[in-house]
Amino acid sequence: MSSENSSADDVRQVWDVVVVGAGPAGASAAYAAAVAGRRVLLLEKAELPRYKTCGGGIIGPSRDALPPGFELPFKDRVHAVTFSHNGRFSRTRRSKQMLFGLINRPEFDQQLVEHAQKAGAELRTGVTVQRVEQHGSAVPDRRTVAVVLQGGETLLAHAVVGADGSASRIGAHVGVKLGQVDLGLEAEIPVPETVAEDWKGRVLIDWGPIPGSYGWVFPKGDTLTVGVISARGEGAATKRYLEDFIGRLGLAGFEPSISSGHLTRCRADDSPLSRGRVLVCGDAAGLLEPWTREGISFALRSGRLAGEWAVRIAEAHDAVDTRRQALNYAFAVKAGLGVEMAVGKRLLQAFERRPGLFHAALTGFRPAWRAFMDITRGSTSLGEMVRTRPIAQRALAALDRRSATADGEVTPSS
Ligand SMILES: Cc1cc2nc3c(=O)[nH]c(=O)nc-3n(C[C@H](O)[C@H](O)[C@H](O)COP(=O)(O)OP(=O)(O)OC[C@H]3O[C@@H](n4cnc5c(N)ncnc54)[C@H](O)[C@@H]3O)c2cc1C
C-alpha cells in the first residue's frame, strides 16, 4: 500500500486495489492482485461463511480456474443425470467418469477467501460499500477512487473491482446494462439416509413448464438442494413450479432448512465492464451463461482477469493509460466469456421454444449427451465446441432457424 500526501497533516493510506464483495469473483480478483504483490483490501458486507442461493455445481471450467493447491470441498461427485420434461419422460444417463462436482457455497466461498488472504489480501467483513466516487472532494487526486462505506468511512484505492453480485452497486456506478434477468428459487432439504442414498452421485434436471425454465436436484450428502430458475416477472409461476417439482419428487414431507431466492443477470452485448479506475466482474458485471445460468466459472474467470487488470490500472499514471488497461480487460473478458455467452444465448432462445427437442436430444441422441459430458467435465467449452466441431455448428444453425419459426419441425439429427 502506498501513502499519498494530500497535505502535510493529512496523510492517508491508499490501497492498490480494493475489491467489493467476497464471493467467487471477488475472492479470485483479490487473489490475483495479491499474488502480483499488491496491497489488496477485500470488503464483504456479510460475516463469513455466508449463505448464497446456488446449486453449487462445479463444472470443469470452475475447477480449472481455482488457485493452485485449492482442494474442492465436494459433497458429492456426479456420475449420472436423470433428465425429465416437466416431470415426464424421465431417462437417466450415466458416465464412468465424474461429470461435475457439488459443493456448499458457504464452505467453498470461505475457502476461496482464505486463499486470497494467504496470498496477502486483507479482509474486512461486516462492511457494506455504499458507493464509489472518482471525482469530488472525497477524492484527493485523479489516480484515486474513494470507496464510501455505510456509516460514512471512506477508503482510498488506485483501482476498485466491483464483485458485489447481482444487486451490484458498483455495477450501477459503471452503468452495467442487462439483457436478461432470471429468478432462481431454492430449498435446502435435509432427507433421511435412505432418500440420500437413492440420490447419491446422481442429479436430476427437469425442463420446466415456463419458457426457458428448468429445475434441478443436487444431492449434498444428507441434504438435497432443489431449485428452479425462470425469467424474472414470472414470480408466482416460478414458485408454483418449485412446489410442484418438490411434490412430484415425493419430497414435500421434508422441512427445508433454508428456502431462498436470488436473481441472476446477464449483461447486454454493449454493456460496459469498467468506468475509469473501476472494473466489474462476475454477477456484478452480468457475466453468466444465459442458458444454464452457470455463473461460478464466470465469476472465477472474470474475477481473476479483473484482479490482474486492476493491478495495471493501479499503476496507470494518466487517464489514457487507465483507459487502455480497462479496454484490455474488456477485450479479455469478451474474447473468452463473451463468446460462451453468445452461444448460450442462442441455446436459450431455441430452448425457450423447443424444450422437448433438447430433452429428446440429450436423452436419445448420443452426440448431444457427449457434448453435455465434455462441457461439464471441462474438456471443451460452448464456444470452442461451436468453433471446432462442424456437427455443433450445424446443430446450432438448425436450432437458430427453428427458433426463428415458432412452429418449425426439427429432429435431433438435423
Ligand atoms: C438459484 C441459483 C442457482 C445457481 N446454481 C449455480 C450452480 O449450480 N453453478 C454455478 O456455476 N452457478 C450457479 N448459480 C450462479 C452463481 O451462484 C453466481 O453466478 C455466483 O455466485 C456469482 O459469484 P459472484 O462472486 O459474482 O457473486 P456472489 O456470489 O453473489 O458474491 C457477491 C458478494 O458481494 C457481497 N456484497 C454485495 N453487496 C455488497 C456491498 N455493497 N458491500 C460489500 N459486499 C457486498 C455479497 O454479500 C456477496 O458475498 C446459481 C444462481 C442461482 C440464483
Side-chain angles (χ1 to χ4, degrees), residues 387-412:
R387 205 171 49 247
T388 58
R389 297 188 194 181
I391 189 171
Q393 281 160 19
R394 284 201 301 275
L396 200 56
L399 283 171
D400 284 346
R401 281 198 300 277
R402 301 302 175 187
S403 64
T405 49
D407 52 0
E409 193 56 42
V410 72
T411 63

Side-chain angles (χ1 to χ4, degrees), residues 356-368 391 394-395 398-399 409-414:
L357 177 67
F358 280 69
H359 184 68
L362 281 162
T363 56
F365 184 53
R366 196 148 176 79
I391 189 171
R394 284 201 301 275
L399 283 171
E409 193 56 42
V410 72
T411 63
S413 55
S414 62

